[in-house]
Amino acid sequence: DQQVKQNSPSLSVQEGRISILNCDYTNSMFDYFLWYKKYPAEGPTFLISISSIKDKNEDGRFTVFLNKSAKHLSLHIVPSQPGDSAVYFCAASVGSNSGYALNFGKGTSLLVTP
Amino acid sequence: GAVVSQHPSWVICKSGTSVKIECRSLDFQATTMFWYRQFPKQSLMLMATSNEGSKATYEQGVEKDKFLINHASLTLSTLTVTSAHPEDSSFYICSARSIEAFFGQGTRLTVV
């Protein structure tokens, strides 16, 4: 049962525009959310996270928004750059404790065109 | 940031042989490490949780006798795929968390 869902398998955006990647979750116990970027044949790289006590977290060009009532989060990349082209995974866990595994969505493949 | 190192990055083995994959946390102590498996165009699926000094916890459907996990120290966990078959071919990734989870580079296993 997929508890974290990324319903858009792919997204294409022009360089300089905003990329918005969406993620939904079903487990109301999740209270810590993360976004990872992944290239083929490599491990995921951490991008940004958000705790359920917040509704927004910003780090440079990356902003994550959390809507707890809708069980929805999104990652905004502004401005998008060709180097952002990769697969983006949304992940969630119960707590930020090191003993809890992450639950991943299936990923969204982002292509940023020049 | 914290680094998790995984080795080897790729391996080809014959059916029936065993393959060991190592995962090391380089600059923090990881009481718990996680092993994931990724099929093409699919999500990262948690296989097992590796606990230092105790038995691993396996997810439903993962054969513990086939995927042996050893977490002998706070910086090293190993996954051994025993009696490998072609259907075990996949991308295996380990992870350790401080707060965020950090991932190894992954191991591409091909069983021929």
Side-chain angles (χ1 to χ4, degrees):
Chain A
D1 179 35
Q2 196 80 24
Q3 298 184 74
V4 178
K5 300 178 183 179
Q6 292 176 258
N7 293 319
S8 297
S10 63
L11 175 68
S12 183
V13 172
Q14 244 183 340
E15 181 178 8
R17 308 292 286 267
I18 184 171
S19 295
I20 300 177
L21 296 96
N22 293 302
C23 177
D24 298 291
Y25 60 97
T26 57
N27 189 340
S28 58
M29 298 295 290
F30 289 149
D31 59 3
Y32 195 70
F33 306 89
L34 310 91
W35 284 94
Y36 286 83
K37 179 179 180 180
K38 186 179 182 300
Y39 295 110
E42 293 184 11
T45 302
F46 170 75
L47 277 177
I48 193 168
S49 63
I50 188 167
S51 162
S52 62
I53 62 174
K54 294 185 173 182
D55 55 18
K56 176 183 176 182
N57 189 25
E58 189 173 354
D59 183 1
R61 295 187 298 115
F62 302 93
T63 303
V64 56
F65 295 92
L66 175 63
N67 183 333
K68 289 190 294 293
S69 60
K71 293 192 178 69
H72 177 83
L73 65 155
S74 61
L75 174 68
H76 292 208
I77 306 174
V78 181
S80 302
Q81 300 172 354
D84 296 329
S85 298
V87 178
Y88 289 78
F89 286 94
C90 170
S93 76
V94 177
S96 58
N97 183 282
S98 60
Y100 292 103
L102 300 183
N103 293 269
F104 284 89
K106 290 190 175 182
T108 296
S109 179
L110 173 65
L111 176 64
V112 180
T113 57
Chain B
V3 178
V4 174
S5 177
Q6 187 174 340
H7 177 82
S9 56
W10 61 271
V11 58
I12 301 173
C13 71
K14 290 185 177 181
S15 286
T17 61
S18 295
V19 173
K20 180 185 283 189
I21 303 170
E22 291 188 349
C23 180
R24 295 180 185 273
S25 59
L26 297 185
D27 55 359
F28 69 103
Q29 294 183 327
T31 307
T32 305
M33 289 186 177
F34 306 95
W35 287 94
Y36 293 84
R37 181 174 181 178
Q38 185 185 26
F39 293 102
K41 299 188 187 301
Q42 295 294 317
S43 180
L44 284 77
M45 300 302 297
L46 180 66
M47 297 175 65
T49 301
S50 169
N51 303 298
E52 188 267 336
S54 65
K55 291 183 179 180
T57 305
Y58 290 82
E59 295 299 302
Q60 192 173 11
V62 178
E63 299 175 61
K64 62 179 181 181
D65 295 329
K66 179 165 197 58
F67 298 100
L68 298 180
I69 290 173
N70 184 280
H71 195 152
S73 76
L74 287 171
T75 58
L76 174 63
S77 175
T78 60
L79 169 68
T80 301
V81 183
T82 63
S83 186
H85 288 103
E87 57 266 30
D88 298 325
S89 298
S90 191
F91 191 62
Y92 295 87
I93 312 174
C94 69
S95 168
R97 288 188 76 172
S98 48
I99 296 177
E100 293 80 21
F102 298 95
F103 289 83
Q105 303 93 319
T107 298
R108 168 68 62 192
L109 171 64
T110 302
V111 185
V112 297

